[in-house]
Amino acid sequence: SLLAIAAFASCAKTGEVPSDGIEIKIAPITKMQTKANYLGAVDGNAYPANENFDVYAYWKEVPAGETFTDGILYLQSEKEANSGAEFTNRGEYWGGVEMYFWPKTGSLRFAAYSPSHLNVTHSQDGDKYSIYEYTQPTQTDKTWDFLVAPTTPSYSMMTETEKVAVDFKHALSWITIKVKAQDAYAAQAFEIKKVTINNVKNQGDFVASMTDGIQYDEW
């Protein structure tokens, strides 16, 4: 965490994603450096090339550019009901682990989260992400950032070369712990074997607008 419904015919909704046509392509970006940047995986604002994310898309029979919160879930993951579809790096873009295609009519709104291995669900009404049993690895060289991409404007079918821009934002704050020795011990070498932070919440709801400076009250 970052689309199931139809070869639509006029008003008919088959409940299936078209099996041919133009593939849905995603172009993810991050406005802030991620932990992966610090580990040297990518440069600048690029999304980590070796990371997958889950994508939600909601369909409605409206023109592109309209905002709606009552769309029909378009992509459906094989992992579990109401979960996002996993997207992976295909070189020039990110595409579905299973290839997904644009609907013939109507438009889609997209939301996403990263990384895809998290147990997260998304609600388009309120743009809310619900995360379950969130846990960071204990090894600092294997940690990752929890990112969310707020719901985009709606898009109609794109061309073969066009990509949906998905703007990931941080949903977590990193804690840096520094230890300073008193002057009398400045020349000594110390090894810190363990730091424990207690009472950290590992599940809850996160509203995407919180990434714009709103307090994280729901965590």
Side-chain angles (χ1 to χ4, degrees), residues 1 3 6 9 13 16-17 23 31 62 66 70 75 86 101 109 123 126 139 148 151 161 168 171 190 210:
S1 0
L3 308 167
K13 301 176 180 60
E16 298 177 357
V17 179
E23 182 186 6
K31 289 296 181 61
V62 295
E66 290 198 19
D70 58 347
L75 293 187
E86 187 173 357
F101 299 90
R109 294 191 76 197
S123 171
Q139 300 91 346
V148 298
T151 311
T161 59
F168 280 107
F190 296 90
M210 291 177 179

Side-chain angles (χ1 to χ4, degrees), residues 128-200:
K128 182 173 70 176
Y129 295 82
S130 297
I131 185 167
Y132 307 93
E133 296 301 326
Y134 159 83
T135 305
Q136 281 280 14
T138 56
Q139 300 91 346
T140 57
D141 63 340
K142 299 186 184 302
T143 56
W144 36 261
D145 290 0
F146 173 41
L147 307 176
V148 298
T151 311
T152 68
S154 58
Y155 294 90
S156 58
M157 186 187 301
M158 292 185 164
T159 67
E160 289 284 359
T161 59
E162 290 178 312
K163 310 176 190 68
V164 177
V166 170
D167 181 7
F168 280 107
K169 300 177 184 292
H170 281 72
L172 292 178
S173 295
W174 286 92
I175 298 175
T176 300
I177 298 174
K178 296 182 178 180
V179 178
K180 182 178 180 181
Q182 293 181 350
D183 291 343
Y185 300 96
Q188 303 296 317
F190 296 90
E191 179 181 356
I192 300 174
K193 295 190 178 277
K194 183 177 182 180
V195 175
T196 301
I197 302 175
N198 296 317
N199 301 319
V200 177

Side-chain angles (χ1 to χ4, degrees), residues 51-79:
E51 190 66 80
N52 288 3
F53 53 86
D54 274 18
V55 176
Y56 282 82
Y58 302 96
W59 176 89
K60 191 172 182 178
E61 188 68 85
V62 295
E66 290 198 19
T67 298
F68 54 83
T69 59
D70 58 347
I72 299 171
L73 185 64
Y74 183 75
L75 293 187
Q76 181 59 60
S77 170
E78 296 296 326
K79 295 187 294 185

